Coordinates of all heavy atoms in Angstrom, one line a residue:
M1 N 234.4 4.9 120.2 CA 234.4 5.3 118.8 C 233.4 6.5 118.7 O 232.3 6.4 119.2 CB 233.9 4.1 118.0 CG 233.7 4.4 116.5 SD 233.3 3.0 115.5 CE 232.0 2.2 116.3
S2 N 233.8 7.5 117.9 CA 232.9 8.6 117.8 C 231.9 8.4 116.6 O 232.0 7.5 115.8 CB 233.7 9.9 117.4 OG 234.2 9.8 116.1
Q3 N 230.9 9.2 116.6 CA 229.8 9.1 115.6 C 230.4 9.5 114.2 O 229.9 9.2 113.2 CB 228.6 10.0 115.9 CG 227.9 9.6 117.1 CD 227.2 8.2 116.9 OE1 227.1 7.7 115.8 NE2 226.7 7.7 118.0
L4 N 231.5 10.3 114.2 CA 232.1 10.8 113.0 C 232.8 9.7 112.2 O 233.0 9.7 111.0 CB 233.0 11.9 113.3 CG 233.5 12.8 112.1 CD1 232.3 13.4 111.4 CD2 234.3 13.9 112.6
S5 N 233.3 8.7 113.0 CA 234.1 7.6 112.4 C 233.4 6.9 111.2 O 234.1 6.7 110.2 CB 234.5 6.6 113.5 OG 235.3 5.6 113.0
P6 N 232.2 6.5 111.3 CA 231.6 5.8 110.2 C 231.5 6.7 109.0 O 231.6 6.3 107.8 CB 230.2 5.4 110.7 CG 230.4 5.2 112.1 CD 231.3 6.3 112.5
I7 N 231.2 8.0 109.2 CA 231.1 9.0 108.1 C 232.5 9.1 107.4 O 232.6 9.1 106.1 CB 230.6 10.3 108.5 CG1 229.2 10.1 109.1 CG2 230.6 11.4 107.4 CD1 228.6 11.3 109.8
L8 N 233.5 9.2 108.2 CA 234.9 9.3 107.6 C 235.2 8.0 106.8 O 235.8 8.1 105.7 CB 235.9 9.5 108.7 CG 235.8 10.9 109.4 CD1 236.8 11.0 110.5 CD2 236.1 12.0 108.4
F9 N 234.9 6.8 107.4 CA 235.2 5.6 106.7 C 234.3 5.4 105.4 O 234.8 4.8 104.5 CB 235.1 4.4 107.6 CG 236.3 4.2 108.5 CD1 236.4 4.6 109.8 CD2 237.5 3.7 107.9 CE1 237.5 4.5 110.5 CE2 238.7 3.6 108.6 CZ 238.7 4.0 110.0
L10 N 233.1 6.0 105.4 CA 232.3 5.9 104.2 C 233.0 6.7 103.1 O 233.1 6.2 102.0 CB 230.9 6.5 104.5 CG 229.9 6.5 103.3 CD1 229.6 5.1 102.9 CD2 228.7 7.3 103.7
A11 N 233.5 7.9 103.4 CA 234.2 8.7 102.4 C 235.5 8.0 102.0 O 235.9 8.0 100.8 CB 234.5 10.1 103.0
L12 N 236.2 7.5 103.0 CA 237.5 6.8 102.7 C 237.3 5.6 101.8 O 238.0 5.3 100.9 CB 238.2 6.5 104.0 CG 239.6 5.9 103.8 CD1 240.6 6.8 103.1 CD2 240.2 5.5 105.2
G13 N 236.3 4.8 102.2 CA 235.9 3.6 101.4 C 235.5 4.0 100.0 O 235.9 3.3 99.0
F14 N 234.8 5.1 99.8 CA 234.4 5.5 98.5 C 235.6 5.9 97.7 O 235.7 5.5 96.5 CB 233.4 6.7 98.6 CG 232.9 7.2 97.3 CD1 231.9 6.5 96.6 CD2 233.4 8.4 96.7 CE1 231.4 6.9 95.4 CE2 232.9 8.8 95.5 CZ 231.9 8.1 94.8
A15 N 236.5 6.7 98.3 CA 237.7 7.1 97.5 C 238.6 5.9 97.2 O 239.1 5.8 96.0 CB 238.6 8.1 98.4
V16 N 238.7 4.9 98.1 CA 239.5 3.7 97.8 C 238.8 2.9 96.7 O 239.5 2.3 95.9 CB 239.8 2.9 99.1 CG1 240.3 1.6 98.8 CG2 240.7 3.7 100.0
G17 N 237.5 2.8 96.8 CA 236.8 2.1 95.7 C 237.0 2.7 94.4 O 237.2 2.0 93.4
L18 N 236.9 4.0 94.3 CA 237.2 4.7 93.0 C 238.6 4.3 92.5 O 238.8 4.0 91.3 CB 237.0 6.2 93.1 CG 235.6 6.7 93.3 CD1 235.7 8.2 93.5 CD2 234.7 6.4 92.1
A19 N 239.6 4.5 93.4 CA 240.9 4.2 93.0 C 241.2 2.8 92.6 O 241.9 2.5 91.6 CB 241.9 4.7 94.1
H20 N 240.6 1.9 93.4 CA 240.8 0.4 93.2 C 240.2 0.0 91.8 O 241.0 -0.7 91.0 CB 240.0 -0.3 94.3 CG 240.1 -1.8 94.2 ND1 241.1 -2.5 94.8 CD2 239.3 -2.7 93.6 CE1 241.0 -3.8 94.6 NE2 239.9 -4.0 93.8
F21 N 239.0 0.4 91.5 CA 238.5 0.0 90.2 C 239.0 0.8 89.0 O 239.1 0.2 87.9 CB 236.9 0.0 90.3 CG 236.4 -1.0 91.2 CD1 236.1 -0.8 92.5 CD2 236.4 -2.4 90.8 CE1 235.7 -1.7 93.4 CE2 236.0 -3.4 91.7 CZ 235.6 -3.1 93.0
A22 N 239.5 2.0 89.2 CA 240.2 2.7 88.2 C 241.5 2.0 87.9 O 241.9 1.9 86.7 CB 240.4 4.2 88.6
A23 N 242.2 1.5 88.9 CA 243.4 0.8 88.8 C 243.2 -0.5 88.0 O 244.0 -1.0 87.2 CB 244.1 0.5 90.1
I24 N 242.1 -1.2 88.3 CA 241.8 -2.4 87.5 C 241.6 -2.1 86.0 O 242.1 -2.8 85.2 CB 240.5 -3.1 88.1 CG1 240.7 -3.7 89.4 CG2 240.0 -4.2 87.1 CD1 239.5 -4.3 90.1
A25 N 240.9 -1.0 85.7 CA 240.8 -0.6 84.3 C 242.1 -0.3 83.7 O 242.4 -0.7 82.5 CB 239.8 0.6 84.2
R26 N 242.9 0.4 84.4 CA 244.3 0.7 83.9 C 245.1 -0.5 83.7 O 245.8 -0.7 82.7 CB 245.0 1.7 84.8 CG 246.4 2.1 84.4 CD 246.4 2.9 83.1 NE 247.7 3.2 82.8 CZ 248.2 3.0 81.6 NH1 247.5 2.6 80.6 NH2 249.5 3.3 81.3
E27 N 245.0 -1.4 84.7 CA 245.8 -2.7 84.6 C 245.3 -3.5 83.3 O 246.2 -4.1 82.6 CB 245.6 -3.5 85.8 CG 246.3 -4.8 85.9 CD 246.0 -5.6 87.1 OE1 245.7 -5.0 88.2 OE2 246.1 -6.8 87.1
A28 N 244.0 -3.6 83.1 CA 243.5 -4.3 82.0 C 244.0 -3.6 80.7 O 244.3 -4.3 79.7 CB 242.0 -4.3 82.0
D29 N 244.0 -2.3 80.7 CA 244.5 -1.6 79.5 C 246.0 -1.9 79.2 O 246.4 -2.2 78.1 CB 244.3 -0.1 79.7 CG 244.7 0.7 78.4 OD1 244.1 0.4 77.4 OD2 245.5 1.6 78.5
L30 N 246.8 -2.0 80.3 CA 248.2 -2.3 80.2 C 248.4 -3.7 79.6 O 249.2 -3.9 78.7 CB 248.9 -2.2 81.5 CG 249.3 -0.8 82.0 CD1 249.8 -0.9 83.5 CD2 250.3 -0.2 81.1
V31 N 247.6 -4.7 80.1 CA 247.8 -6.1 79.7 C 247.3 -6.3 78.3 O 248.0 -6.9 77.5 CB 247.0 -7.0 80.7 CG1 246.9 -8.4 80.2 CG2 247.7 -6.9 82.1
T32 N 246.2 -5.7 77.9 CA 245.6 -5.9 76.6 C 246.3 -5.1 75.5 O 246.3 -5.5 74.3 CB 244.1 -5.6 76.5 OG1 243.9 -4.2 76.9 CG2 243.4 -6.5 77.5
H33 N 247.0 -4.0 75.8 CA 247.6 -3.2 74.8 C 249.1 -3.3 74.9 O 249.8 -2.4 74.4 CB 247.1 -1.8 74.9 CG 245.7 -1.6 74.5 ND1 244.7 -1.4 75.5 CD2 245.1 -1.7 73.3 CE1 243.5 -1.4 74.9 NE2 243.7 -1.5 73.6
G34 N 249.7 -4.3 75.5 CA 251.1 -4.5 75.5 C 251.9 -3.6 76.3 O 253.0 -3.2 76.0
G35 N 251.3 -3.2 77.5 CA 252.1 -2.3 78.4 C 253.1 -3.1 79.2 O 253.3 -4.3 79.0
S36 N 253.8 -2.4 80.0 CA 254.8 -3.0 80.9 C 254.2 -4.0 81.9 O 253.3 -3.6 82.6 CB 255.5 -1.8 81.6 OG 256.3 -2.4 82.7
A37 N 254.7 -5.2 81.9 CA 254.2 -6.2 82.8 C 254.6 -5.8 84.2 O 253.8 -6.0 85.2 CB 254.9 -7.5 82.5
S38 N 255.7 -5.3 84.5 CA 256.1 -4.9 85.8 C 255.2 -3.8 86.4 O 254.9 -3.8 87.5 CB 257.6 -4.5 85.9 OG 257.8 -3.4 85.1
R39 N 254.8 -2.9 85.5 CA 253.9 -1.8 85.9 C 252.5 -2.4 86.3 O 251.9 -1.9 87.3 CB 253.8 -0.7 84.8 CG 253.0 0.5 85.3 CD 253.2 1.6 84.3 NE 252.4 2.7 84.8 CZ 252.2 3.8 84.1 NH1 252.7 4.0 82.9 NH2 251.4 4.8 84.6
A40 N 252.1 -3.3 85.5 CA 250.8 -3.9 85.8 C 250.8 -4.7 87.1 O 249.9 -4.6 87.9 CB 250.4 -4.9 84.6
I41 N 251.9 -5.4 87.4 CA 252.1 -6.1 88.6 C 252.1 -5.1 89.8 O 251.5 -5.4 90.8 CB 253.3 -7.0 88.6 CG1 253.1 -8.1 87.6 CG2 253.7 -7.5 90.0 CD1 254.4 -8.9 87.3
L42 N 252.9 -4.0 89.7 CA 253.0 -3.0 90.8 C 251.6 -2.4 91.0 O 251.2 -2.1 92.1 CB 254.0 -2.0 90.4 CG 255.4 -2.4 90.6 CD1 256.4 -1.3 90.1 CD2 255.7 -2.8 92.0
L43 N 250.9 -2.1 89.9 CA 249.5 -1.6 90.1 C 248.6 -2.5 90.8 O 247.9 -2.1 91.7 CB 249.0 -1.2 88.7 CG 247.8 -0.3 88.5 CD1 248.1 1.0 89.2 CD2 247.4 -0.1 87.1
R44 N 248.7 -3.8 90.5 CA 247.8 -4.8 91.2 C 248.2 -4.9 92.6 O 247.3 -4.8 93.5 CB 248.0 -6.1 90.5 CG 247.2 -7.2 91.3 CD 247.2 -8.5 90.6 NE 246.5 -8.4 89.3 CZ 246.2 -9.4 88.5 NH1 246.5 -10.6 88.8 NH2 245.5 -9.2 87.4
L45 N 249.5 -5.0 92.9 CA 249.9 -5.1 94.3 C 249.6 -3.8 95.1 O 249.1 -3.9 96.3 CB 251.4 -5.4 94.4 CG 251.8 -6.8 93.9 CD1 253.4 -6.9 93.9 CD2 251.2 -7.9 94.7
G46 N 249.7 -2.7 94.5 CA 249.4 -1.4 95.2 C 247.9 -1.3 95.5 O 247.6 -0.9 96.6
R47 N 247.1 -1.6 94.5 CA 245.6 -1.5 94.8 C 245.1 -2.5 95.8 O 244.3 -2.1 96.7 CB 244.8 -1.6 93.5 CG 244.7 -2.9 92.9 CD 243.8 -2.9 91.7 NE 243.9 -4.1 90.9 CZ 243.3 -5.3 91.2 NH1 242.5 -5.3 92.2 NH2 243.5 -6.3 90.5
L48 N 245.7 -3.7 95.8 CA 245.3 -4.6 96.8 C 245.8 -4.2 98.2 O 245.0 -4.4 99.2 CB 245.8 -6.0 96.4 CG 245.1 -6.7 95.2 CD1 245.8 -8.0 94.9 CD2 243.7 -6.9 95.5
A49 N 247.0 -3.7 98.3 CA 247.6 -3.3 99.6 C 246.8 -2.2 100.2 O 246.4 -2.2 101.4 CB 249.0 -2.9 99.4
V50 N 246.4 -1.2 99.4 CA 245.7 0.0 99.9 C 244.3 -0.5 100.3 O 243.8 -0.1 101.4 CB 245.6 1.1 98.8 CG1 244.7 2.2 99.3 CG2 247.0 1.7 98.6
T51 N 243.6 -1.3 99.5 CA 242.3 -1.8 99.9 C 242.3 -2.6 101.2 O 241.5 -2.3 102.0 CB 241.7 -2.6 98.7 OG1 241.6 -1.8 97.5 CG2 240.3 -3.1 99.1
I52 N 243.2 -3.5 101.3 CA 243.3 -4.3 102.5 C 243.6 -3.4 103.7 O 243.0 -3.6 104.7 CB 244.4 -5.4 102.3 CG1 243.9 -6.5 101.3 CG2 244.7 -6.1 103.6 CD1 244.9 -7.4 100.8
L53 N 244.6 -2.5 103.5 CA 244.9 -1.6 104.6 C 243.7 -0.8 105.2 O 243.5 -0.8 106.4 CB 246.0 -0.7 104.2 CG 246.5 0.3 105.3 CD1 247.2 -0.4 106.4 CD2 247.4 1.4 104.6
V54 N 243.0 -0.2 104.3 CA 241.8 0.6 104.7 C 240.8 -0.3 105.4 O 240.2 0.1 106.4 CB 241.2 1.3 103.5 CG1 239.9 1.9 103.8 CG2 242.2 2.4 103.0
L55 N 240.5 -1.5 104.8 CA 239.5 -2.3 105.4 C 239.9 -2.9 106.7 O 239.1 -3.1 107.6 CB 239.1 -3.5 104.4 CG 238.3 -3.0 103.2 CD1 238.1 -4.1 102.2 CD2 237.0 -2.2 103.5
V56 N 241.2 -3.2 106.9 CA 241.7 -3.7 108.2 C 241.6 -2.6 109.2 O 241.2 -2.8 110.4 CB 243.1 -4.3 108.0 CG1 243.8 -4.5 109.4 CG2 243.1 -5.6 107.3
I57 N 242.0 -1.4 108.9 CA 241.9 -0.3 109.8 C 240.5 0.0 110.2 O 240.1 0.2 111.4 CB 242.6 1.0 109.2 CG1 244.1 0.8 109.1 CG2 242.2 2.2 110.0 CD1 244.8 1.9 108.3
A58 N 239.6 -0.1 109.2 CA 238.1 0.1 109.5 C 237.6 -1.0 110.5 O 236.9 -0.7 111.4 CB 237.3 0.1 108.2
S59 N 238.1 -2.2 110.2 CA 237.6 -3.3 111.1 C 238.1 -3.2 112.5 O 237.4 -3.6 113.4 CB 238.1 -4.7 110.5 OG 239.4 -4.9 110.7
R60 N 239.2 -2.6 112.7 CA 239.8 -2.4 114.0 C 239.0 -1.3 114.8 O 239.1 -1.2 116.0 CB 241.2 -2.1 114.0 CG 242.0 -3.3 113.5 CD 243.5 -3.2 113.4 NE 244.1 -2.8 114.7 CZ 244.4 -3.7 115.7 NH1 244.2 -4.9 115.5 NH2 245.0 -3.2 116.8
Q61 N 238.3 -0.4 114.0 CA 237.4 0.6 114.6 C 236.1 0.1 115.0 O 235.3 0.8 115.7 CB 237.3 1.8 113.7 CG 238.6 2.5 113.3 CD 239.3 3.0 114.5 OE1 238.7 3.7 115.4 NE2 240.6 2.7 114.7
G62 N 235.7 -1.1 114.6 CA 234.4 -1.7 114.9 C 233.6 -1.9 113.7 O 233.9 -1.4 112.6
W63 N 232.5 -2.6 113.9 CA 231.7 -3.0 112.7 C 231.0 -1.8 112.0 O 230.8 -1.9 110.8 CB 230.6 -4.1 113.1 CG 229.5 -3.6 114.0 CD1 229.4 -3.7 115.3 CD2 228.3 -3.0 113.6 NE1 228.3 -3.2 115.8 CE2 227.5 -2.8 114.7 CE3 227.8 -2.7 112.3 CZ2 226.3 -2.2 114.7 CZ3 226.5 -2.1 112.3 CH2 225.8 -1.8 113.4
P64 N 230.6 -0.7 112.7 CA 230.0 0.4 112.0 C 231.0 1.0 111.0 O 230.6 1.3 109.8 CB 229.6 1.4 113.0 CG 229.4 0.6 114.3 CD 230.5 -0.5 114.2
A65 N 232.2 1.1 111.4 CA 233.2 1.7 110.5 C 233.5 0.8 109.3 O 233.7 1.2 108.2 CB 234.5 2.0 111.3
L66 N 233.6 -0.5 109.6 CA 233.8 -1.5 108.5 C 232.7 -1.5 107.5 O 232.9 -1.6 106.3 CB 234.1 -2.9 109.1 CG 234.3 -4.0 108.1 CD1 235.5 -3.7 107.2 CD2 234.5 -5.3 108.8
L67 N 231.4 -1.5 108.1 CA 230.3 -1.5 107.2 C 230.3 -0.2 106.3 O 230.0 -0.3 105.1 CB 229.0 -1.6 108.0 CG 227.7 -1.6 107.3 CD1 227.6 -2.8 106.4 CD2 226.5 -1.6 108.2
A68 N 230.6 0.9 106.9 CA 230.6 2.2 106.2 C 231.7 2.1 105.1 O 231.5 2.6 104.0 CB 230.8 3.3 107.2
A69 N 232.9 1.7 105.5 CA 234.0 1.6 104.5 C 233.6 0.6 103.3 O 233.9 1.0 102.2 CB 235.3 1.1 105.1
T70 N 233.0 -0.5 103.6 CA 232.5 -1.4 102.6 C 231.5 -0.8 101.7 O 231.5 -1.0 100.5 CB 232.1 -2.7 103.3 OG1 233.1 -3.2 104.1 CG2 231.7 -3.7 102.2
A71 N 230.5 -0.1 102.3 CA 229.5 0.5 101.5 C 230.0 1.6 100.6 O 229.7 1.7 99.5 CB 228.4 1.1 102.5
G72 N 231.0 2.4 101.2 CA 231.6 3.4 100.3 C 232.4 2.8 99.2 O 232.4 3.2 98.1
F73 N 233.1 1.7 99.5 CA 233.9 0.9 98.5 C 233.0 0.5 97.4 O 233.3 0.6 96.2 CB 234.6 -0.2 99.1 CG 235.5 -1.0 98.2 CD1 236.8 -0.5 98.0 CD2 235.1 -2.1 97.6 CE1 237.7 -1.2 97.2 CE2 236.0 -2.8 96.8 CZ 237.3 -2.4 96.6
M74 N 231.8 -0.1 97.7 CA 230.9 -0.6 96.7 C 230.3 0.6 95.9 O 230.0 0.4 94.8 CB 229.9 -1.5 97.4 CG 230.4 -2.7 98.0 SD 231.6 -3.7 96.9 CE 230.4 -4.3 95.7
G75 N 230.1 1.7 96.6 CA 229.6 2.9 95.9 C 230.6 3.4 94.8 O 230.2 3.7 93.7
G76 N 231.9 3.3 95.2 CA 232.9 3.7 94.2 C 233.0 2.7 93.1 O 233.2 3.1 91.9
R77 N 232.7 1.4 93.4 CA 232.7 0.4 92.3 C 231.5 0.7 91.3 O 231.7 0.6 90.1 CB 232.4 -1.0 93.0 CG 232.2 -2.1 92.0 CD 231.9 -3.4 92.7 NE 231.6 -4.4 91.8 CZ 230.4 -4.7 91.3 NH1 229.3 -3.9 91.6 NH2 230.2 -5.7 90.4
Q78 N 230.4 1.1 91.9 CA 229.2 1.4 91.0 C 229.5 2.6 90.1 O 229.2 2.5 88.9 CB 228.0 1.6 91.8 CG 227.4 0.4 92.4 CD 227.1 -0.7 91.3 OE1 227.7 -1.7 91.3 NE2 226.1 -0.4 90.5
I79 N 230.2 3.6 90.6 CA 230.5 4.8 89.8 C 231.5 4.4 88.7 O 231.3 4.8 87.5 CB 231.1 5.9 90.7 CG1 230.1 6.4 91.7 CG2 231.7 7.0 89.8 CD1 228.9 7.1 91.2
M80 N 232.5 3.6 89.0 CA 233.5 3.2 88.0 C 232.9 2.3 87.0 O 233.2 2.4 85.8 CB 234.7 2.6 88.7 CG 235.5 3.6 89.5 SD 235.8 5.2 88.8 CE 237.1 4.7 87.6
L81 N 232.0 1.4 87.4 CA 231.4 0.5 86.4 C 230.5 1.3 85.5 O 230.5 1.0 84.3 CB 230.5 -0.6 87.1 CG 231.2 -1.8 87.7 CD1 230.2 -2.7 88.5 CD2 231.9 -2.6 86.6
H82 N 229.8 2.2 86.0 CA 229.0 3.1 85.1 C 229.9 3.9 84.2 O 229.6 4.0 83.0 CB 228.1 4.0 86.0 CG 227.2 4.9 85.2 ND1 226.1 4.4 84.5 CD2 227.3 6.2 84.9 CE1 225.5 5.4 83.9 NE2 226.2 6.5 84.1
R83 N 231.0 4.4 84.7 CA 231.9 5.2 83.9 C 232.5 4.4 82.7 O 232.6 4.9 81.6 CB 233.0 5.8 84.8 CG 234.0 6.6 84.0 CD 235.0 7.3 84.9 NE 235.9 8.0 84.1 CZ 237.2 8.1 84.3 NH1 237.7 7.5 85.4 NH2 238.0 8.8 83.6
F84 N 232.9 3.2 83.0 CA 233.5 2.3 82.0 C 232.5 1.5 81.2 O 232.9 0.7 80.4 CB 234.6 1.4 82.7 CG 235.8 2.2 83.1 CD1 236.1 2.2 84.5 CD2 236.5 3.0 82.3 CE1 237.2 3.0 84.9 CE2 237.6 3.7 82.7 CZ 237.9 3.7 84.1
G85 N 231.2 1.7 81.5 CA 230.2 1.0 80.7 C 229.9 -0.4 81.1 O 229.3 -1.2 80.3
G86 N 230.2 -0.8 82.3 CA 230.0 -2.2 82.7 C 228.7 -2.4 83.5 O 228.3 -3.5 83.7
A87 N 228.0 -1.3 83.9 CA 226.8 -1.4 84.7 C 225.6 -1.0 83.8 O 225.0 0.0 84.0 CB 226.9 -0.6 85.9
R88 N 225.2 -1.8 82.9 CA 224.1 -1.5 82.0 C 222.9 -2.4 82.3 O 223.0 -3.4 82.7 CB 224.5 -1.7 80.6 CG 225.5 -0.6 80.1 CD 225.8 -0.7 78.7 NE 226.7 0.4 78.4 CZ 227.8 0.2 77.6 NH1 228.0 -0.9 77.0 NH2 228.6 1.2 77.4

């Protein structure tokens, strides 16, 4: 494993975290404002599949890559919580 791998997984985890939590917000908006149920289901399945895929790939690269991806994911979570007003 190269030294660059954890840095790449940190960035990838951050991007996936942003997308994951933005998708949760969009899904909540669809459900609460009478949006399409099938779209909400597809959004949920898509965000879970992408998150699982990235974390599994990171885990196969070793614990530093998994730790970096998880830290990036949680960083993305914090940004989205702040953006949507949940981290006060």
Side-chain angles (χ1 to χ4, degrees):
M1 176 174 48
S2 73
Q3 294 293 350
L4 195 56
S5 181
I7 296 168
L8 292 174
F9 278 105
L10 180 67
L12 185 58
F14 183 75
V16 169
L18 288 175
H20 181 89
F21 291 100
I24 289 175
R26 178 68 182 129
E27 182 184 332
D29 187 55
L30 283 171
V31 170
T32 58
H33 293 104
S36 167
S38 61
R39 187 168 179 186
I41 290 168
L42 286 175
L43 195 57
R44 177 175 293 190
L45 292 175
R47 74 177 165 81
L48 289 174
V50 170
T51 300
I52 290 168
L53 178 68
V54 168
L55 292 176
V56 166
I57 291 170
S59 72
R60 295 182 57 82
Q61 297 300 312
W63 71 265
L66 179 58
L67 181 62
T70 303
F73 185 83
M74 296 311 291
R77 174 186 177 271
Q78 286 304 112
I79 297 294
M80 295 311 285
L81 280 177
H82 182 72
R83 179 175 178 218
F84 290 119
R88 291 188 178 135

